[in-house]
Amino acid sequence: MKKLANYVQGRWQEGTGEGTTLYDPVLGTPLVKVCAKGVDMAAAYDHARTQAGPALRRYTYAERAGLLAQVAQVLQASRDNYYDISLQNSGTVKNDTAVDVEGSIYTLGYYAKLGSRLVDGQVHLDGDSTSLAKDNAFASQHIEVPVRGVALLINAFNFPAWGLWEKAAPALLSGVPVVVKPATATAWLTHEMVKDVIEAGILPEGSISIVCGRPEGLLDALNGLDLVSFTGSAETAATLRQHPRIQHDGVRFNAETDSVNCALLDPEATGSDLLVREVVRELTIKSGQKCTAIRRIFVPEASYDAVAKGICEKLQGITVGDPRNESVRMGSLVSQTQKKAVTEGIELLAKHCDVLFDGRTQTSMQVDGNDHACVAPMLFGTRDPDNLALVHETEVFGPVATIMPYRDIEHAYELARRGMGSLVASVYGEDTDFLAQAAVRLAESHGRVHVINSAVAKVQTGHGNAMPQSNHGGPGRAGGGQELGGLRALAFYHRLAAVQAAPEVLARLAAQ
C-alpha cells in the first residue's frame, strides 16, 4: 500500500514506522498509509526559518501575491483528482467537496488579489505617529513587520483542502514559511495538494512543508518567535495551550475550535421559511461536520411546533448513503471513529430531549451493509431550554440540531449566550430594526453574525460558510481566535512594535 511521504528540509522523506492506514468511510477499503516516525522536526523548522523565510521575504507583497495566484492555477488544473480523493477518503457528495476544494481555490485567489494591491516594502505603518515631547521633538510610531519564524498549521479532518489554504494563503503572503500538519483521517487530499504545488516549483524551497501522521516533537522544536494556528476540538486546543513552548516560551497561538452555533427566528416569525431551509442545509452539508454548523435553533414559543414540522418535512426528502450513488444527497462521516462519537452523542440527547425527526427510521439510506460511517440527520427538541444545560454545552459533530422556544427576545439572547462563545449566529426576519439590534446583541459572544431577510435570500453566502472577506473565529469556547477577515488575517503573521524616535527617523520609516 502506498505510504504518503513527508516533505521537510526541501525533500520528500518517508516515515520509518508501520504507519496509519486511511480508509474509505463508506466501503471500508484501505486507501493509503501515513507515517511521520523519524522526521526531524527541529531540522524541518530550522530549514524553513533559515532558508525559506529569507527567500520569501526577498519578494514584495505584490510579488508574493503573484505566487499565490500561480498556486491557485495549479490547484485548479487538478480539481478532478481532488474530487476523487475526497469521494474516497471523506465520503462526501460532489456538492460538499466543492465547498472544500473550490472554497480553497477561491480563498487563495482572494488573497492573491488583495496582496497585489499592497504597497511594496517590509514595513507597514499602523496609524499616525504620536508626539511624546514638546513640539513633537520625539514621537512614537507603530509599525508591523513580517514574523521571521515558522508557522505550524494544525488542521482538522473536515476540511482537508480549505483548512490548509485559508491559513497558508495569508501566511505566505506575509512572507512566513509554513509547516502543515493535517488531521490524519483525511490527510490524503492535503498531501496531494501540497505535492502538486511543490512539484510545480512556484514557491522558494521549504516555503511549504507537510508532515502526515504523528511526528515526535511537533511542538517541542518551536521557539518563542514561531507561530501555531490550530483548528480542531476545544479539548485538543486546551492541551496544546499547556505545552511549554506555548505556555512558557510565548509561541503565538491561534485556535478555532468547536462551538454550539445558533440560528434565531425573529419574534414575529416572519423569516421561518428562510430559517427552515438554512437549518436543513446546515444539517446535511458535509453531513453536519462543520465547526460552523447550526446546533441550536431558537424560535418564539408560538412558532415552535410549526417550525419543527417544517424542518422535519424537508428532512424526509434527504437520501443518505454512498456518494457514488447519484440519488444520494448526503454522504458519510469521515470515519468509523467519528460515527461512534456522533452515535453516542445522539443517544445522549435522546435521553433528555424529544426526538422530533429520527433519521434512523425516517430517512432513506442508500448504502450496502453496516460497515459504513453514514449517519442520518436528527432533529431534537426541548421546551425547557433554561434547565437543560446539555443542549448548550454539548456539540454532536454531525447531522444533529436541537430546536428550543424562547419567551421574549431578551430570553433568546440569554439562551444564545449560554453557548459561552460561538463561531457564528444567524438571524432570520424582515424587521430591519430588529435585525440590526440582534446583530449587535449577538456580536458580543459570536465571531460572525449572519443576518438574513428576503432581500438577500438568493445571494447570501450561507450560515456555515466562512468567507475570506469576513472574520472566522469566536470568543470563549470557540477558541478566542481570529482568522481571515480580509487583510486582518495578515496581523497574526506580523509583529507590532512601537518605534520611538525623532520625527526625521519616523519620516524615513514612512518612506520605506
Side-chain angles (χ1 to χ4, degrees), residues 10 92 99 103 116 156 222-223 298 367 390 431 475 494:
T92 51
V99 175
S116 68
L222 295 173
N223 66 44
F298 302 123
V367 64
L390 174 71
D431 185 330
H494 284 69

Side-chain angles (χ1 to χ4, degrees), residues 286-334:
K286 299 284 286 188
S287 299
Q289 298 170 110
K290 294 192 303 177
C291 54
T292 52
I294 294 172
R295 305 301 181 192
R296 299 177 297 158
I297 308 156
F298 302 123
V299 301
E301 288 179 335
S303 303
Y304 178 85
D305 291 328
V307 174
K309 181 181 178 182
I311 296 171
C312 292
E313 287 177 348
K314 285 190 174 295
L315 288 176
Q316 287 176 351
I318 305 297
T319 301
V320 182
D322 190 338
R324 298 167 185 84
N325 186 329
E326 292 185 358
S327 68
V328 168
R329 177 175 166 185
M330 180 177 132
S332 73
L333 302 180
V334 301

Side-chain angles (χ1 to χ4, degrees), residues 264 409 413 427 432-443 449 451:
L264 171 61
I409 195 58
Y413 296 147
V427 188
T432 301
D433 289 339
F434 161 72
L435 294 175
Q437 177 207 57
V440 173
R441 291 295 299 274
L442 293 168
V449 183
V451 182

